[in-house]
Amino acid sequence: MTIKVNLLPTERKRFTFDPLVAVLFVCVCVALVGCIVYGSSLKRQVDEKQAQIDHLKDEISKTEQSLPVINQVKEDIARLKSEIKVVTSLKYDPVRYANLLTEVGKVMPDNVWISSLSVEPSTCTVSMSGTAAHRPGKPPLATIAEFVQNLDDSKIFTDSSLSSVSQTRVDTGIGFTFSIEAHYNADEAAGIAAKQAETEASGDGEGS
């Protein structure tokens, strides 16, 4: 058996340029650059959002620190409004009480006299005690009922109630003492409501 050995030098393979490899290389480079740019953009957005969060946290912290001051200011405003209301009420008190007494005189039957009358401004309440005397055609109990009804029909007084009645002796014979409690409209008593109505009517007249 004969073995043949080729002792001649072999021809070296020449290097050839492959276009597909170049295209792949370029694509990889472009993708790498795109990833770097996109990552930078995302990091910038994250940093901006984090800065906004930090800013909002600072605002919340400042607001929480100022809450006691805000609450105190609200309390001061409420107190001042209350004081203004009281001062305004005092301004109209003389007129209000004069109108209350005048209204009582208007609605009181002629066979009734008042022995005591008190006004409680905080509850807008008037308490009065008096006596109803018997007169021809006007029994005392019917007169007291008429008095209560007259108070309810008044523009100033409301929710009138009879708290006590008892028989007594008067110069004309038998009478009845009574105690009545009624609420009153503070604005009506001071004439404020009438002034407001006049102002509105005047405004409507000018508008037409």
Side-chain angles (χ1 to χ4, degrees), residues 108 112-117 128-133 144 147 164 166 168 176-180:
M108 185 173 63
V112 169
W113 66 87
I114 300 297
S115 57
S116 67
L117 187 148
M128 63 188 83
S129 299
T131 303
I144 295 172
F147 188 20
S164 66
S166 60
T168 186
F176 282 85
T177 60
F178 61 86
S179 294
I180 295 175

Side-chain angles (χ1 to χ4, degrees), residues 60-99:
I60 291 173
S61 178
K62 292 178 181 179
T63 303
E64 289 176 347
Q65 293 176 0
S66 62
L67 277 178
V69 178
I70 294 174
N71 292 333
Q72 182 62 45
V73 171
K74 288 182 178 179
E75 292 177 0
D76 292 341
I77 291 174
R79 177 176 54 80
L80 289 174
K81 286 184 177 180
S82 178
E83 292 177 358
I84 290 172
K85 186 176 180 180
V86 171
V87 172
T88 304
S89 177
L90 292 174
K91 173 184 176 181
Y92 290 101
D93 271 356
V95 177
R96 180 177 292 113
Y97 295 144
N99 288 340

Side-chain angles (χ1 to χ4, degrees), residues 6 15 29 31 39 49 74 78 115:
N6 188 2
F15 177 79
C29 292
K49 298 298 182 183
K74 288 182 178 179
S115 57

Side-chain angles (χ1 to χ4, degrees), residues 194-206:
K195 291 180 181 178
Q196 290 177 344
E198 291 177 0
T199 302
E200 292 176 357
S202 175
D204 293 340
E206 293 176 358

Side-chain angles (χ1 to χ4, degrees), residues 71-186:
N71 292 333
Q72 182 62 45
V73 171
K74 288 182 178 179
E75 292 177 0
D76 292 341
I77 291 174
R79 177 176 54 80
L80 289 174
K81 286 184 177 180
S82 178
E83 292 177 358
I84 290 172
K85 186 176 180 180
V86 171
V87 172
T88 304
S89 177
L90 292 174
K91 173 184 176 181
Y92 290 101
D93 271 356
V95 177
R96 180 177 292 113
Y97 295 144
N99 288 340
L100 286 174
L101 294 176
T102 301
E103 189 69 12
V104 170
K106 287 181 179 179
V107 301
M108 185 173 63
D110 56 6
N111 58 328
V112 169
W113 66 87
I114 300 297
S115 57
S116 67
L117 187 148
S118 62
V119 179
E120 180 53 55
S122 61
T123 57
C124 293
T125 303
V126 173
S127 301
M128 63 188 83
S129 299
T131 303
H134 178 79
R135 288 198 180 170
K138 300 193 74 173
L141 292 178
T143 298
I144 295 172
E146 177 188 353
F147 188 20
V148 173
Q149 185 61 49
N150 289 346
L151 289 170
D152 284 336
D153 293 340
S154 167
K155 290 184 178 180
I156 294 178
F157 293 105
T158 58
D159 301 328
S160 303
S161 60
L162 183 64
S163 57
S164 66
V165 176
S166 60
Q167 186 173 328
T168 186
R169 294 287 301 180
V170 294
D171 294 340
T172 57
I174 297 176
F176 282 85
T177 60
F178 61 86
S179 294
I180 295 175
E181 184 176 279
H183 292 89
Y184 64 89
N185 186 312

